[in-house]
Amino acid sequence: MIIHDIKKLSEPPLWISECIHLMVDFGSHGHGTATENSDFDYFGFLIPPAEIILGTDFKSWRHFKIPYKNRLYDFSLFNITEFLVHCQKINPQFLGSLVVPEEHIYFCSPVGRLILDNRHLFLTKKITLSCLIRAEREFDMILFDRKEYELKYLISQNYDTPISEYRETKHVYHFIRLMNEAYQIATNGTIDIQKASYLVPSVKAGEWSIN
């Protein structure tokens, strides 16, 4: 298991791998959009040893692009208190990690399962606004990429230009996904993070335009 190989993959604190309580694959695999070349993005929380809690202000350990068996791995592991504060603040990324499909929960202790079993307590309709705000940011990035493309290639204002011709398509997908999640929480009170995954092939194929 990669959880026991973390010490070999990078240079984390020696206690990290023994203190993880929840680690999920929250990247493209968890969202149902992975390809055979996709990286793995692990996200979760841990409970540091008492001497770390009392002696330091440890909030998270984050390490990206770690090579392992011909793949790249990203790790974002948070102190449980930091993790729950972000959930309380209705951070869609942290809440989304609590609703990944069961098969993408890589490791879960009894403490982790207790949090997962009570995730509904965080899923309020306030998430709708939070998702909409983040969707607006993604849309701004779409427009930014468009302007950069136009400046670079000196093309005219053509709003029917396929999305695939711009540098990034991920902003388009994340915009659609966040809008979809806002709708889900507003109407059903739950989130299925794979709901919009079927749109990814059409986005990458350029079947969507700016308008």
Short mmCIF file of all heavy atoms in Angstrom, two decimals, residues 58-99:
data_model
loop_
_atom_site.label_atom_id
_atom_site.label_comp_id
_atom_site.label_asym_id
_atom_site.label_seq_id
_atom_site.Cartn_x
_atom_site.Cartn_y
_atom_site.Cartn_z
N PHE A 58 1.39 22.44 13.64
CA PHE A 58 1.25 21.65 12.42
C PHE A 58 -0.17 21.74 11.87
O PHE A 58 -1.14 21.47 12.58
CB PHE A 58 1.59 20.18 12.69
CG PHE A 58 1.39 19.30 11.49
CD1 PHE A 58 2.37 19.19 10.53
CD2 PHE A 58 0.21 18.58 11.33
CE1 PHE A 58 2.18 18.38 9.41
CE2 PHE A 58 0.01 17.77 10.23
CZ PHE A 58 1.00 17.67 9.26
N LYS A 59 -0.30 22.14 10.60
CA LYS A 59 -1.61 22.25 9.97
C LYS A 59 -1.79 21.27 8.82
O LYS A 59 -2.89 20.75 8.61
CB LYS A 59 -1.83 23.68 9.46
CG LYS A 59 -1.98 24.69 10.58
CD LYS A 59 -2.33 26.07 10.03
CE LYS A 59 -2.55 27.06 11.16
NZ LYS A 59 -2.92 28.41 10.65
N SER A 60 -0.71 21.03 8.07
CA SER A 60 -0.86 20.12 6.92
C SER A 60 0.50 19.69 6.41
O SER A 60 1.53 20.31 6.69
CB SER A 60 -1.63 20.80 5.79
OG SER A 60 -0.88 21.89 5.27
N TRP A 61 0.46 18.58 5.68
CA TRP A 61 1.62 18.15 4.92
C TRP A 61 1.16 17.99 3.49
O TRP A 61 0.26 17.22 3.19
CB TRP A 61 2.17 16.82 5.44
CG TRP A 61 3.34 16.34 4.63
CD1 TRP A 61 4.60 16.86 4.61
CD2 TRP A 61 3.35 15.25 3.69
NE1 TRP A 61 5.39 16.18 3.73
CE2 TRP A 61 4.65 15.18 3.15
CE3 TRP A 61 2.37 14.35 3.26
CZ2 TRP A 61 5.00 14.23 2.19
CZ3 TRP A 61 2.72 13.40 2.31
CH2 TRP A 61 4.03 13.34 1.79
N ARG A 62 1.78 18.75 2.59
CA ARG A 62 1.39 18.72 1.19
C ARG A 62 2.65 18.53 0.34
O ARG A 62 3.64 19.23 0.52
CB ARG A 62 0.66 20.01 0.80
CG ARG A 62 -0.48 20.35 1.75
CD ARG A 62 -1.27 21.54 1.30
NE ARG A 62 -2.15 21.20 0.19
CZ ARG A 62 -3.00 22.05 -0.38
NH1 ARG A 62 -3.04 23.31 0.02
NH2 ARG A 62 -3.77 21.66 -1.38
N HIS A 63 2.58 17.57 -0.56
CA HIS A 63 3.71 17.28 -1.42
C HIS A 63 3.17 16.85 -2.78
O HIS A 63 2.25 16.03 -2.84
CB HIS A 63 4.58 16.17 -0.82
CG HIS A 63 6.00 16.24 -1.23
ND1 HIS A 63 7.01 16.68 -0.40
CD2 HIS A 63 6.60 15.94 -2.40
CE1 HIS A 63 8.17 16.63 -1.04
NE2 HIS A 63 7.94 16.18 -2.26
N PHE A 64 3.74 17.40 -3.85
CA PHE A 64 3.15 17.19 -5.17
C PHE A 64 4.16 16.60 -6.16
O PHE A 64 5.36 16.74 -6.01
CB PHE A 64 2.61 18.52 -5.72
CG PHE A 64 1.65 19.20 -4.80
CD1 PHE A 64 1.98 20.37 -4.15
CD2 PHE A 64 0.40 18.65 -4.56
CE1 PHE A 64 1.10 20.99 -3.28
CE2 PHE A 64 -0.50 19.25 -3.70
CZ PHE A 64 -0.14 20.43 -3.06
N LYS A 65 3.59 15.93 -7.16
CA LYS A 65 4.36 15.37 -8.27
C LYS A 65 5.46 14.41 -7.79
O LYS A 65 6.61 14.47 -8.21
CB LYS A 65 4.98 16.47 -9.14
CG LYS A 65 3.97 17.49 -9.64
CD LYS A 65 2.86 16.85 -10.46
CE LYS A 65 1.85 17.88 -10.96
NZ LYS A 65 0.69 17.25 -11.63
N ILE A 66 5.08 13.48 -6.91
CA ILE A 66 6.01 12.48 -6.42
C ILE A 66 5.98 11.28 -7.36
O ILE A 66 4.93 10.67 -7.54
CB ILE A 66 5.63 12.02 -5.00
CG1 ILE A 66 5.60 13.22 -4.05
CG2 ILE A 66 6.60 10.97 -4.50
CD1 ILE A 66 5.06 12.87 -2.67
N PRO A 67 7.09 10.93 -7.99
CA PRO A 67 7.09 9.78 -8.90
C PRO A 67 7.09 8.46 -8.16
O PRO A 67 7.81 8.28 -7.17
CB PRO A 67 8.40 9.97 -9.68
CG PRO A 67 9.29 10.73 -8.74
CD PRO A 67 8.39 11.62 -7.93
N TYR A 68 6.23 7.54 -8.61
CA TYR A 68 6.14 6.22 -7.97
C TYR A 68 5.52 5.25 -8.96
O TYR A 68 4.39 5.42 -9.40
CB TYR A 68 5.29 6.32 -6.70
CG TYR A 68 5.10 5.02 -5.96
CD1 TYR A 68 6.15 4.45 -5.25
CD2 TYR A 68 3.87 4.36 -5.95
CE1 TYR A 68 5.98 3.25 -4.55
CE2 TYR A 68 3.68 3.17 -5.26
CZ TYR A 68 4.74 2.62 -4.56
OH TYR A 68 4.56 1.44 -3.88
N LYS A 69 6.27 4.24 -9.35
CA LYS A 69 5.80 3.20 -10.27
C LYS A 69 5.17 3.80 -11.53
O LYS A 69 4.04 3.49 -11.91
CB LYS A 69 4.80 2.27 -9.56
CG LYS A 69 5.42 1.45 -8.44
CD LYS A 69 4.43 0.49 -7.82
CE LYS A 69 5.10 -0.36 -6.74
NZ LYS A 69 4.16 -1.31 -6.10
N ASN A 70 5.93 4.69 -12.17
CA ASN A 70 5.55 5.29 -13.45
C ASN A 70 4.32 6.19 -13.37
O ASN A 70 3.68 6.47 -14.39
CB ASN A 70 5.33 4.21 -14.51
CG ASN A 70 6.58 3.39 -14.76
OD1 ASN A 70 7.68 3.93 -14.84
ND2 ASN A 70 6.41 2.08 -14.87
N ARG A 71 3.96 6.62 -12.17
CA ARG A 71 2.86 7.56 -12.00
C ARG A 71 3.33 8.71 -11.10
O ARG A 71 4.34 8.59 -10.42
CB ARG A 71 1.64 6.89 -11.35
CG ARG A 71 0.96 5.86 -12.24
CD ARG A 71 0.27 6.50 -13.43
NE ARG A 71 -0.45 5.55 -14.23
CZ ARG A 71 -1.73 5.23 -14.03
NH1 ARG A 71 -2.41 5.80 -13.06
NH2 ARG A 71 -2.33 4.35 -14.81
N LEU A 72 2.57 9.79 -11.11
CA LEU A 72 2.84 10.91 -10.22
C LEU A 72 1.76 10.99 -9.16
O LEU A 72 0.57 10.77 -9.45
CB LEU A 72 2.90 12.23 -11.01
CG LEU A 72 4.07 12.37 -11.99
CD1 LEU A 72 3.94 13.68 -12.77
CD2 LEU A 72 5.41 12.32 -11.27
N TYR A 73 2.17 11.29 -7.95
CA TYR A 73 1.24 11.33 -6.82
C TYR A 73 1.31 12.68 -6.12
O TYR A 73 2.39 13.23 -5.90
CB TYR A 73 1.58 10.23 -5.81
CG TYR A 73 1.29 8.85 -6.31
CD1 TYR A 73 2.17 8.19 -7.17
CD2 TYR A 73 0.13 8.18 -5.93
CE1 TYR A 73 1.90 6.91 -7.64
CE2 TYR A 73 -0.14 6.89 -6.38
CZ TYR A 73 0.74 6.27 -7.24
OH TYR A 73 0.48 5.02 -7.70
N ASP A 74 0.12 13.22 -5.80
CA ASP A 74 0.01 14.42 -4.99
C ASP A 74 -0.60 14.04 -3.65
O ASP A 74 -1.55 13.24 -3.59
CB ASP A 74 -0.89 15.47 -5.66
CG ASP A 74 -0.30 16.02 -6.95
OD1 ASP A 74 0.90 15.79 -7.19
OD2 ASP A 74 -1.05 16.66 -7.70
N PHE A 75 -0.07 14.63 -2.58
CA PHE A 75 -0.61 14.38 -1.25
C PHE A 75 -0.99 15.69 -0.58
O PHE A 75 -0.21 16.65 -0.57
CB PHE A 75 0.41 13.66 -0.36
CG PHE A 75 0.69 12.24 -0.76
CD1 PHE A 75 1.73 11.94 -1.64
CD2 PHE A 75 -0.08 11.20 -0.27
CE1 PHE A 75 1.99 10.63 -2.01
CE2 PHE A 75 0.17 9.89 -0.64
CZ PHE A 75 1.20 9.60 -1.51
N SER A 76 -2.20 15.75 -0.03
CA SER A 76 -2.65 16.88 0.78
C SER A 76 -3.30 16.29 2.03
O SER A 76 -4.45 15.85 2.00
CB SER A 76 -3.65 17.74 0.02
OG SER A 76 -3.05 18.33 -1.13
N LEU A 77 -2.53 16.25 3.10
CA LEU A 77 -3.00 15.64 4.35
C LEU A 77 -3.00 16.70 5.44
O LEU A 77 -1.99 17.34 5.71
CB LEU A 77 -2.09 14.47 4.74
CG LEU A 77 -2.03 13.32 3.73
CD1 LEU A 77 -0.96 12.32 4.12
CD2 LEU A 77 -3.39 12.64 3.61
N PHE A 78 -4.15 16.88 6.09
CA PHE A 78 -4.35 17.98 7.02
C PHE A 78 -4.52 17.47 8.46
O PHE A 78 -5.05 16.38 8.68
CB PHE A 78 -5.60 18.78 6.63
CG PHE A 78 -5.48 19.45 5.29
CD1 PHE A 78 -5.75 18.73 4.12
CD2 PHE A 78 -5.10 20.78 5.18
CE1 PHE A 78 -5.63 19.34 2.88
CE2 PHE A 78 -4.98 21.38 3.95
CZ PHE A 78 -5.24 20.67 2.79
N ASN A 79 -4.07 18.29 9.38
CA ASN A 79 -4.40 18.07 10.78
C ASN A 79 -5.92 17.99 10.88
O ASN A 79 -6.63 18.78 10.26
CB ASN A 79 -3.87 19.23 11.61
CG ASN A 79 -4.02 19.00 13.11
OD1 ASN A 79 -4.97 18.37 13.57
ND2 ASN A 79 -3.08 19.52 13.87
N ILE A 80 -6.46 17.06 11.64
CA ILE A 80 -7.91 16.86 11.69
C ILE A 80 -8.65 18.14 12.07
O ILE A 80 -9.73 18.43 11.55
CB ILE A 80 -8.29 15.71 12.66
CG1 ILE A 80 -9.78 15.42 12.58
CG2 ILE A 80 -7.82 16.00 14.07
CD1 ILE A 80 -10.21 14.19 13.36
N THR A 81 -8.06 18.94 12.96
CA THR A 81 -8.73 20.19 13.35
C THR A 81 -8.79 21.16 12.18
O THR A 81 -9.82 21.81 11.96
CB THR A 81 -8.01 20.84 14.54
OG1 THR A 81 -6.63 21.04 14.22
CG2 THR A 81 -8.11 19.96 15.77
N GLU A 82 -7.71 21.24 11.41
CA GLU A 82 -7.69 22.11 10.23
C GLU A 82 -8.70 21.62 9.19
O GLU A 82 -9.42 22.41 8.57
CB GLU A 82 -6.28 22.12 9.64
CG GLU A 82 -6.07 23.08 8.49
CD GLU A 82 -5.94 24.52 8.93
OE1 GLU A 82 -5.90 24.78 10.14
OE2 GLU A 82 -5.86 25.39 8.04
N PHE A 83 -8.76 20.32 9.02
CA PHE A 83 -9.68 19.72 8.05
C PHE A 83 -11.12 20.05 8.41
O PHE A 83 -11.92 20.48 7.55
CB PHE A 83 -9.46 18.20 8.04
CG PHE A 83 -10.25 17.47 7.00
CD1 PHE A 83 -9.70 17.22 5.75
CD2 PHE A 83 -11.53 17.00 7.27
CE1 PHE A 83 -10.42 16.54 4.77
CE2 PHE A 83 -12.26 16.32 6.31
CZ PHE A 83 -11.71 16.08 5.06
N LEU A 84 -11.48 19.88 9.68
CA LEU A 84 -12.86 20.11 10.09
C LEU A 84 -13.22 21.59 10.06
O LEU A 84 -14.38 21.94 9.80
CB LEU A 84 -13.08 19.53 11.49
CG LEU A 84 -13.01 18.00 11.58
CD1 LEU A 84 -13.18 17.54 13.01
CD2 LEU A 84 -14.06 17.34 10.68
N VAL A 85 -12.25 22.46 10.32
CA VAL A 85 -12.51 23.90 10.22
C VAL A 85 -12.88 24.26 8.78
O VAL A 85 -13.82 25.03 8.54
CB VAL A 85 -11.28 24.72 10.68
CG1 VAL A 85 -11.39 26.17 10.22
CG2 VAL A 85 -11.16 24.67 12.19
N HIS A 86 -12.17 23.69 7.81
CA HIS A 86 -12.48 23.96 6.40
C HIS A 86 -13.84 23.39 6.03
O HIS A 86 -14.58 23.99 5.24
CB HIS A 86 -11.40 23.37 5.49
CG HIS A 86 -10.17 24.22 5.40
ND1 HIS A 86 -10.12 25.37 4.65
CD2 HIS A 86 -8.94 24.09 5.97
CE1 HIS A 86 -8.91 25.91 4.74
NE2 HIS A 86 -8.18 25.15 5.53
N CYS A 87 -14.19 22.24 6.58
CA CYS A 87 -15.53 21.68 6.34
C CYS A 87 -16.60 22.60 6.93
O CYS A 87 -17.64 22.84 6.30
CB CYS A 87 -15.63 20.29 6.94
SG CYS A 87 -14.68 19.02 6.10
N GLN A 88 -16.34 23.10 8.11
CA GLN A 88 -17.29 23.99 8.77
C GLN A 88 -17.46 25.28 7.99
O GLN A 88 -18.55 25.87 7.96
CB GLN A 88 -16.81 24.30 10.19
CG GLN A 88 -17.81 25.09 11.03
CD GLN A 88 -17.29 25.34 12.43
OE1 GLN A 88 -16.09 25.40 12.66
NE2 GLN A 88 -18.21 25.47 13.37
N LYS A 89 -16.39 25.71 7.31
CA LYS A 89 -16.44 26.93 6.51
C LYS A 89 -17.02 26.69 5.11
O LYS A 89 -16.99 27.55 4.26
CB LYS A 89 -15.04 27.54 6.39
CG LYS A 89 -14.51 28.12 7.69
CD LYS A 89 -13.14 28.74 7.50
CE LYS A 89 -12.63 29.38 8.79
NZ LYS A 89 -11.29 29.96 8.63
N ILE A 90 -17.54 25.51 4.89
CA ILE A 90 -18.19 25.13 3.63
C ILE A 90 -17.22 25.24 2.45
O ILE A 90 -17.52 25.80 1.39
CB ILE A 90 -19.45 26.01 3.35
CG1 ILE A 90 -20.23 26.25 4.63
CG2 ILE A 90 -20.35 25.33 2.32
CD1 ILE A 90 -20.79 25.01 5.25
N ASN A 91 -16.04 24.70 2.62
CA ASN A 91 -15.07 24.65 1.54
C ASN A 91 -15.40 23.44 0.66
O ASN A 91 -15.30 22.30 1.11
CB ASN A 91 -13.65 24.51 2.11
CG ASN A 91 -12.57 24.57 1.05
OD1 ASN A 91 -12.67 23.91 0.02
ND2 ASN A 91 -11.54 25.35 1.31
N PRO A 92 -15.80 23.67 -0.60
CA PRO A 92 -16.24 22.56 -1.47
C PRO A 92 -15.19 21.47 -1.66
O PRO A 92 -15.54 20.29 -1.80
CB PRO A 92 -16.55 23.25 -2.80
CG PRO A 92 -16.87 24.66 -2.44
CD PRO A 92 -15.95 24.98 -1.28
N GLN A 93 -13.91 21.85 -1.67
CA GLN A 93 -12.87 20.85 -1.86
C GLN A 93 -12.83 19.86 -0.69
O GLN A 93 -12.77 18.64 -0.89
CB GLN A 93 -11.51 21.51 -2.01
CG GLN A 93 -10.39 20.54 -2.33
CD GLN A 93 -9.06 21.22 -2.52
OE1 GLN A 93 -8.83 22.32 -2.03
NE2 GLN A 93 -8.16 20.58 -3.25
N PHE A 94 -12.90 20.37 0.52
CA PHE A 94 -12.85 19.51 1.70
C PHE A 94 -14.13 18.69 1.83
O PHE A 94 -14.09 17.49 2.13
CB PHE A 94 -12.62 20.35 2.96
CG PHE A 94 -11.22 20.86 3.08
CD1 PHE A 94 -10.79 21.94 2.33
CD2 PHE A 94 -10.31 20.24 3.92
CE1 PHE A 94 -9.48 22.41 2.43
CE2 PHE A 94 -9.00 20.69 4.03
CZ PHE A 94 -8.59 21.78 3.28
N LEU A 95 -15.28 19.33 1.58
CA LEU A 95 -16.54 18.59 1.65
C LEU A 95 -16.62 17.55 0.55
O LEU A 95 -17.16 16.46 0.75
CB LEU A 95 -17.71 19.57 1.56
CG LEU A 95 -17.86 20.53 2.75
CD1 LEU A 95 -18.98 21.52 2.50
CD2 LEU A 95 -18.12 19.75 4.03
N GLY A 96 -16.09 17.89 -0.62
CA GLY A 96 -16.10 16.93 -1.72
C GLY A 96 -15.32 15.68 -1.40
O GLY A 96 -15.68 14.57 -1.83
N SER A 97 -14.25 15.83 -0.61
CA SER A 97 -13.45 14.66 -0.25
C SER A 97 -14.22 13.70 0.66
O SER A 97 -13.84 12.54 0.79
CB SER A 97 -12.15 15.10 0.44
OG SER A 97 -12.40 15.64 1.72
N LEU A 98 -15.29 14.19 1.27
CA LEU A 98 -16.10 13.34 2.15
C LEU A 98 -17.18 12.58 1.40
O LEU A 98 -17.83 11.70 1.97
CB LEU A 98 -16.76 14.19 3.25
CG LEU A 98 -15.82 14.88 4.25
CD1 LEU A 98 -16.63 15.68 5.26
CD2 LEU A 98 -14.94 13.86 4.96
N VAL A 99 -17.39 12.92 0.13
CA VAL A 99 -18.46 12.27 -0.63
C VAL A 99 -17.93 11.51 -1.85
O VAL A 99 -18.68 11.21 -2.77
CB VAL A 99 -19.54 13.30 -1.07
CG1 VAL A 99 -20.24 13.88 0.13
CG2 VAL A 99 -18.94 14.41 -1.93
#
